Amino acid sequence: MSARIRSFAAAAAGPALLAALVLLPPLLGRPFHYHLGILVGINALLALSMQVMLRINQLSLAQAGFMGLGAYASALLTRDIGLPFAAALPLAGLLPALLAGALGPVLLRVRGVHFVLLTFALGEVIVLVFVEWVSLFGGNNGLLDIPPASLFGTALRAKPAFYALTAATLLAALALCRWMTRGERGMIVAGLAGNEPLLQSLGVDALPHRCALFAFSAFLAGLAGSLYAHYFGYISPEAFGFWTAVNALIMGVLGGVTLLLGPLTGAVLLVPLPELFRDAIAYQRLFYGLALMALLLFLPRGLLGVLRASKGSTP
Amino acid sequence: MTVPRLDVDGVSRSFGGIRAVRAVSFALEPGRITGLIGPNGAGKTTLFNLIAGTLKPDEGRIRFEGRALAGLGPGAVARLGLARSFQATSVFPGLSVREHLHRAALLRHAGRPADLLRWRVLAAARRAAGERAAELLDFAGLAGVAETEAAALPYGLQKILGVVMALAGGAHMLLADEPAAGLNPTETLRMGALLRAIHRKRGVDILLIEHDLRMVMALCDRIVALGDGAVIADGPPALVRRDPAFVAAYLGGDADAA
């Protein structure tokens, strides 16, 4: 009987944690908390997109660039073409997904550090295009006056409303990622990570599946970009550079690379830090660096991984 | 004349300056177990990789049941019914023996990303895969370890699992890369019996790379011997073991050792 309770607790732990995190800003209730919640959600989406690739043992640093692509696409589609936000949001995901799908057959042939460097270069090229193509993307000044998100004719100007949109998008993305790791899809993801030659010998085309996952990861990053653009109403190239990708990576690793809620947990822990310790800005990076080193050294499977292991639900 | 099961025609492949496989040709009639032998470095595994689509030949053509394999990757070749097992034991981490066979039977139906959307096909394949896994567990004598994690099995059973997994997708031909390497005499006998049963009871042709010449001579109807990437002898076992070129290259001149 106690075993059944324990297995129920293990099954309920994820949804309970998710519900607690999603409900935190409304429970605290201040605009600042909603603001943090929105930032956490956007960063968690980006970290989730990176996790999709980490699940197949490929670290892509292009995800911040894909996020930028989604942000600029969403901004231009709504501001200059007058598309409703409800149409721009999925398009902001599809555009980077198409780019990733087109480049995947070339990029994904390489592995390890070479893939990391190629995606780093791709991310830099995307940002460079934003900087250099001034007439379309506004150069270093970026784009201003991006209209607020709106759904069913109602502008989501208030922070609680935008927070609800962010949370809904994140929940949908989590559901998609969960679907992706179930059934035959999960078998293929696990096989790509664990033993690709064996997977191929069983009749699976590895490269097309890797490309599909790369496109899916870019789709999630593009959604994060669209939310970012419409929340701030202003975007510039530097927001989508190397450090954005690295921060998302840190969040994912900190929370737990293989756990669905790992990226969100990492974002919850790391995103508020700079906002909360604005006064101690001089020591912030030092503290951040030391904390990160300690976490990675002592908790290599991430915080959620430790919590799960201590409950004995998974070895 | 019947269409050969496997037709290798003038296949060559170089790595840098090294010609690993040189103008290799042979056609395998259906219904045979063929041995592919030769010393280390003779090009056997490279030839397997060329047939299985892991490597592309520089020259030459490979046909499986009359169909050209040019341009097909390893997944597509496997889906045609040309399966392979690996020299080193090869398992998925954390999965039981039954899960391995289930996946092996199922995943060919999810070979391409678009296949994942054909849920009706997948649902049928899922049901069939469960039955096939159970049947293969019995066939290979693995039923007793069905729920054991594959990586925790003894080496000999892992190799048997590797061979049976290759069959799970309904292959007509098996490329078996050194199935007996690293096995003790008892395990080698069991592997030999399994390969014979696969051929006789399931009608699967086998192309066998193996260093254990006793096993090769006992199982095979025909032997293709490679030396330095080229075919140096080809024929029934009794003839090949007396072929001077084979004896010189493979046995260092001692014909009785075979």
Side-chain angles (χ1 to χ4, degrees), chain B residues 136-184:
Chain B
L136 285 168
L137 283 169
D138 285 335
F139 173 74
L142 293 173
V145 292
E147 316 309 330
T148 307
E149 186 182 337
L153 287 179
Y155 190 75
L157 290 183
Q158 282 195 30
K159 294 209 69 152
I160 283 180
L161 174 62
V163 169
V164 182
M165 276 174 78
L167 296 179
H172 320 153
M173 180 162 194
L174 169 67
L175 307 172
D177 195 351
E178 297 202 27
L183 301 189
N184 66 35

Side-chain angles (χ1 to χ4, degrees), chain B residues 124-258:
Chain B
R126 237 172 267 152
R127 282 192 296 276
E131 286 165 23
R132 186 148 188 105
E135 186 260 322
L136 285 168
L137 283 169
D138 285 335
F139 173 74
L142 293 173
V145 292
E147 316 309 330
T148 307
E149 186 182 337
L153 287 179
Y155 190 75
L157 290 183
Q158 282 195 30
K159 294 209 69 152
I160 283 180
L161 174 62
V163 169
V164 182
M165 276 174 78
L167 296 179
H172 320 153
M173 180 162 194
L174 169 67
L175 307 172
D177 195 351
E178 297 202 27
L183 301 189
N184 66 35
T186 317
E187 291 170 334
T188 303
L189 283 178
R190 183 171 173 185
M191 180 61 82
L194 176 69
L195 291 174
R196 200 186 300 272
I198 285 169
H199 182 62
R200 294 215 176 132
K201 294 190 187 155
R202 309 185 81 91
V204 175
D205 291 357
I206 299 174
L207 182 60
L208 172 70
I209 293 181
E210 188 47 68
H211 280 299
D212 186 324
L213 281 189
R214 198 171 304 163
M215 183 191 214
V216 173
M217 295 296 169
L219 280 178
C220 297
D221 312 301
R222 174 181 171 185
I223 287 176
V224 175
L226 293 184
D228 283 333
V231 176
I232 54 171
D234 183 353
L239 286 182
V240 167
R241 70 197 299 176
R242 286 183 183 77
D243 191 300
F246 165 71
V247 172
Y250 199 65
L251 302 171
D254 182 2
D256 294 333

Side-chain angles (χ1 to χ4, degrees), chain A residues 179-180 182-213, chain B residues 54 73-76 78-79 82-84 86 90-93 100 102-104 106-108 110-114 116-117 122-123 126 165-166:
Chain A
W179 178 79
M180 188 198 77
R182 299 278 151 150
E184 292 80 15
R185 300 163 302 276
M187 295 178 191
I188 287 166
V189 171
L192 289 172
N195 194 339
E196 180 169 303
L198 182 58
L199 189 72
Q200 290 177 310
S201 79
L202 300 179
V204 174
D205 297 335
L207 187 62
H209 279 288
R210 280 185 190 273
C211 289
L213 287 163
Chain B
T54 311
R79 289 198 296 275
L82 180 54
R84 79 177 300 183
F86 294 90
S90 190
V91 294
F92 293 123
H100 271 83
H102 184 255
R103 280 178 194 210
L106 176 57
L107 283 180
R108 67 194 306 272
R112 291 158 299 183
L116 293 172
L117 303 173
L122 281 177
R126 237 172 267 152
M165 276 174 78

Side-chain angles (χ1 to χ4, degrees), chain A residues 231-294:
Chain A
Y231 181 59
F232 289 105
Y234 158 79
I235 49 175
S236 68
E238 82 238 23
F240 310 111
F242 173 69
W243 286 108
T244 304
V246 170
N247 278 331
L249 172 65
I250 293 171
M251 287 169 206
V253 172
L254 183 65
V257 172
T258 57
L259 299 168
L260 186 62
L261 294 182
L264 175 59
T265 307
V268 167
L269 291 170
L270 291 186
V271 169
L273 282 185
E275 305 281 335
L276 291 176
F277 297 104
R278 278 177 193 276
D279 300 336
I281 201 110
Y283 301 104
Q284 186 186 303
R285 288 192 170 226
L286 183 67
F287 164 76
Y288 189 81
L290 289 176
L292 198 66
M293 278 170 67

